[in-house]
């Protein structure tokens, strides 16, 4: 129906413009509900992780009142960063690329988790460095595509493939370099 549509990410907005206003409103409302039900736990998780994993380690003596204040402040800051990013990227498909990147990271980090469960030679440092390399590679892929309009290696080699391969290879390599404690005594298991 839309043979002139060159960007697949514009298919939904184009279709919505062509729908009956009532049907388009219902579809748009359901999309907004899905977005908000996804964004709110992510923002809450960001505030909680900052409070527990960073502030809690730096200030273990902090009382509950101070921890609650920091939690509210960090959650609000995470929400503000999201709002600013959405306003800055208004009118572009970059925000969709970032959302796809977030899902890509979840899938790639799952590779590290699977290695942690099934491969006995994985090391904590190898897993951490693998996750960092995965994020850097995926972020580079998004920036490169945003800057040059295509992916670095091939048109179909998206950030998902790059991140999964980076997770697998870097976790294995760093685990071999930073062997788990006691693995030399046990023969590497």
């Amino acid at each position: 129906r839309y043979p002139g549509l060159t960007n697949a990410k514009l298919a939904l907005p184009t279709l919505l413009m062509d729908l009956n206003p009532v049907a388009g409103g219902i579809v748009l409302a359901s999309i907004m509900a899905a977005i908000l039900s996804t964004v709110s736990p992510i923002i809450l998780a960001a505030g909680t992780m900052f409070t527990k994993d960073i502030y809690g380690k730096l200030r273990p003596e902090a009382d509950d009142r101070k921890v609650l204040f920091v939690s509210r402040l960090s959650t609000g800051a995470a929400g503000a960063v999201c709002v600013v990013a959405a306003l800055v990227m208004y009118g572009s498909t970059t925000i969709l690329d970032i959302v796809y990147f977030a899902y890509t990271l979840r899938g790639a980090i799952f590779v590290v988790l699977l290695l942690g469960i099934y491969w006995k030679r994985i090391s904590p440092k190898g897993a951490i460095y693998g996750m960092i390399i995965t994020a850097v590679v995926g972020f580079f892929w998004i920036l490169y595509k945003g800057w040059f309009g295509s992916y670095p290696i091939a048109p179909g080699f998206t950030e998902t493939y790059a991140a999964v391969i980076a997770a697998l290879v870097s976790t294995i390599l760093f685990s071999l370099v930073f062997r788990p404690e006691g693995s030399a005594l046990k023969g590497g298991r």
Side-chain angles (χ1 to χ4, degrees):
R1 181 170 182 166
Y2 304 104
L5 192 63
T6 58
N7 188 348
K9 292 177 184 172
L10 296 177
L12 182 63
T14 304
L15 180 65
L16 284 176
M17 295 299 289
D18 224 16
L19 282 177
N20 176 315
V22 173
I26 291 171
V27 170
L28 194 57
S30 62
I31 291 171
M32 288 300 294
I35 290 171
L36 293 177
S37 70
T38 301
V39 169
S40 60
I42 291 171
I43 291 172
L44 287 171
T48 302
M49 286 187 288
F50 175 81
T51 304
K52 293 290 183 184
D53 297 337
I54 297 174
Y55 182 76
K57 302 287 189 224
L58 295 174
R59 303 272 191 238
E61 74 284 349
D63 63 347
D64 289 344
R65 182 180 157 133
K66 186 70 172 174
V67 169
L68 179 62
F69 173 76
V70 170
S71 177
R72 287 177 176 170
L73 186 68
S74 60
T75 302
V81 166
C82 290
V83 168
V84 169
L87 291 173
V88 167
M89 296 176 195
Y90 178 77
S92 77
T93 60
T94 306
I95 195 76
L96 287 175
D97 291 333
I98 291 171
V99 170
Y100 296 148
F101 174 58
Y103 287 118
T104 292
L105 275 182
R106 289 166 66 183
I109 300 301
F110 182 68
V111 170
V112 177
L113 175 68
L114 284 177
L115 285 171
I117 293 171
Y118 293 110
W119 189 46
K120 293 179 182 177
R121 295 178 67 185
I122 193 168
S123 71
K125 280 187 179 181
I128 290 170
Y129 287 139
M131 288 187 270
I132 292 169
I133 295 294
T134 299
V136 168
V137 167
F139 195 61
F140 168 76
W141 238 252
I142 293 298
L143 288 176
Y144 189 94
K145 182 178 181 274
W147 195 264
F148 295 107
S150 65
Y151 293 110
I153 294 176
F157 197 75
T158 65
E159 71 275 2
T160 302
Y161 298 118
V164 167
I165 290 169
L168 183 65
V169 171
S170 63
T171 303
I172 290 172
L173 288 177
F174 281 113
S175 289
L176 293 174
V177 170
F178 301 106
R179 299 184 70 135
E181 295 297 321
S183 64
L185 298 174
K186 298 176 185 175
R189 297 190 329 168

